[in-house]
Amino acid sequence: AGIELALFDIGFEDIVLLPKDTGGSQSQAATAAEDLKTKGVDVVLGPLFGANVQQVREIFTPVEEQSLFGFNTEPVEAAKPIIAFSNDRSVASYGAWLASIAPEEEVAAIIEYAALRGYDQFAFFGPQTGLGTRIETAMQTAVLENGGAMLTSAFYPSSTTNPDSEAAYFAQTVANAVDRGARVAVLVPERGNRLRRIAPLLAYHGVDTRRVKMLGIGGWNDPNIWREPSLRGAWFPTAPSADVMDFEQRFDRMYGAKPTSLAAVSYDAAALVAALSSDGELTADELINRDGFMGINGLFRFRDDGTAERSLAIMEIDPTVEDGSGVKEILPVSPSFDPTIG
């Protein structure tokens, strides 16, 4: 629906959509890709799941034509570009670009913002899951890049709803650093009810949120958690709220339902394809334009490795804001990737 809405908004009539349902299955994804290849499509939007991205990429990469001597191979034709919606950066590659907002981009944005505002030690408290480990690794990298230091990383079993012992040990480590004069920021990559249980637990065990800055990722963009007292003053990254709200309202008027987060991602991908193919073709060089593209989810550009670099807004949880929302924007999305602007 996001793709359809993008083409409707743009009014571009020279694009034909050929929807295919992969069913989340690798075999169905391969079958769908083979069918689209037979039909001669110029670009693929999707798939959603990381396990399917590289498989589809291989199908749309031409078989190399070997020379008489069996070397110096050259592709018969250029591979068709794929703009997928997975957030698994390990499946990205030149030719298979990921349009989603990866957790690594959210972590990079929030750590950079905190470091620029004087926080010099960082701590991670999150679940022992593949995603949790991935976010902690991204945090280690971002902290190093911004000249900070990792104070500690603490994981708890993903099955637990009350990681009391882990929270107690973690809180003591943070409190000791604060007492030594460190400015500490704590990243908790949870959301919803789990976040509403874990944040007060850290405060109970001694993480003084008046002196420690709590940080989150995109899952914190949820009004249900903004009323939690222990998260007051916390920061988290998100797409530009005004643009997303406008999109959600237009989507609801058109389809009678609230869009998922995937809808905005697919909208931006379709709008990008429509804009770049207005001259009759879409090339890889156009997709990796260094100036980037402005979409519903803000400014983004594709890297050569297939990942997307993004400029995200930073929000602060504040129950006193005049509009009653419980949150305010403290850093807007940059209008440019040029470091001298914005």
Side-chain angles (χ1 to χ4, degrees):
I3 296 174
E4 183 180 68
L5 183 57
L7 299 183
F8 177 80
D9 285 348
I10 294 170
F12 195 68
E13 299 179 354
D14 294 332
I15 291 180
V16 176
L17 290 178
L18 299 175
K20 293 290 180 180
D21 183 7
T22 67
S25 160
Q26 287 185 273
S27 60
Q28 284 184 247
T31 300
E34 292 285 4
D35 186 47
L36 291 174
K37 182 178 180 181
T38 300
K39 289 180 167 61
V41 299
D42 296 303
V43 61
V44 177
L45 295 178
L48 172 61
F49 298 108
N52 299 337
V53 174
Q54 287 297 76
Q55 186 172 39
V56 173
R57 174 76 176 93
E58 291 172 5
I59 290 172
F60 278 91
T61 299
V63 177
E64 293 182 329
E65 181 180 24
Q66 296 188 358
S67 70
L68 178 63
F69 300 102
F71 59 86
N72 192 29
T73 60
E74 294 292 339
V76 176
E77 59 179 335
K80 302 300 184 185
I82 297 166
I83 302 178
F85 305 138
S86 169
N87 68 3
D88 182 356
R89 291 162 65 105
S90 70
V91 302
S93 64
Y94 187 89
W97 288 275
L98 304 185
S100 55
I101 303 177
E104 288 84 354
E105 293 299 308
E106 296 177 334
V107 171
I110 197 62
I111 297 301
E112 179 183 35
Y113 184 81
L116 287 173
R117 276 139 192 87
Y119 289 91
D120 54 8
Q121 294 198 32
F122 295 82
F124 171 92
F125 191 73
Q128 185 71 63
T129 62
L131 181 58
T133 301
R134 181 177 159 192
I135 291 173
E136 193 272 345
T137 299
M139 184 180 183
Q140 294 264 8
T141 300
V143 167
L144 180 63
E145 290 177 345
N146 286 280
M150 282 296 293
L151 173 64
T152 187
S153 292
F155 292 90
Y156 49 84
S158 60
S159 58
T160 185
T161 59
N162 185 37
D164 188 75
S165 59
E166 294 89 349
Y169 182 81
F170 176 84
Q172 187 60 56
T173 302
V174 171
N176 290 342
V178 171
D179 288 341
R180 293 192 301 268
R183 295 197 68 199
V184 181
V186 172
L187 177 66
V188 181
E190 287 285 11
R191 64 177 65 207
N193 289 332
R194 285 180 64 85
L195 177 60
R196 293 173 66 184
R197 286 193 294 267
I198 289 172
L201 188 62
L202 291 176
Y204 172 78
H205 282 293
V207 174
D208 186 350
T209 54
R210 293 168 300 180
R211 303 169 69 189
V212 174
K213 180 60 65 176
M214 299 294 289
L215 307 176
I217 57 174
W220 284 31
N221 194 23
D222 175 2
N224 291 322
I225 69 171
W226 299 340
R227 296 186 296 272
E228 169 53 48
S230 62
L231 293 178
R232 182 169 183 170
W235 297 335
F236 64 91
T238 185
S241 55
D243 292 345
V244 171
M245 183 179 299
D246 177 68
F247 171 76
E248 290 177 345
Q249 291 173 348
R250 289 188 293 114
F251 190 99
D252 187 38
R253 287 196 299 269
M254 177 69 72
Y255 300 103
K258 184 178 180 179
T260 65
S261 58
L262 176 61
V265 171
S266 61
Y267 180 101
D268 284 351
L272 174 61
V273 167
L276 295 182
S277 60
S278 59
D279 60 355
E281 64 176 347
L282 176 63
T283 67
D285 285 345
E286 289 176 311
L287 282 173
I288 58 175
N289 186 311
R290 295 298 83 197
D291 292 335
F293 314 94
M294 187 63 77
I296 299 296
N297 281 325
L299 184 68
F300 70 100
R301 64 182 175 187
F302 293 120
R303 302 182 179 95
D304 290 346
D305 66 1
T307 61
E309 178 181 0
R310 288 187 173 273
S311 171
L312 297 171
I314 303 296
M315 310 296 286
E316 179 176 274
I317 296 175
D318 181 359
T320 68
V321 291
E322 293 183 1
D323 63 6
S325 65
V327 69
K328 63 184 179 184
E329 184 178 88
I330 54 176
L331 181 72
V333 168
S334 173
S336 170
F337 283 112
D338 185 339
T340 65
I341 300 176

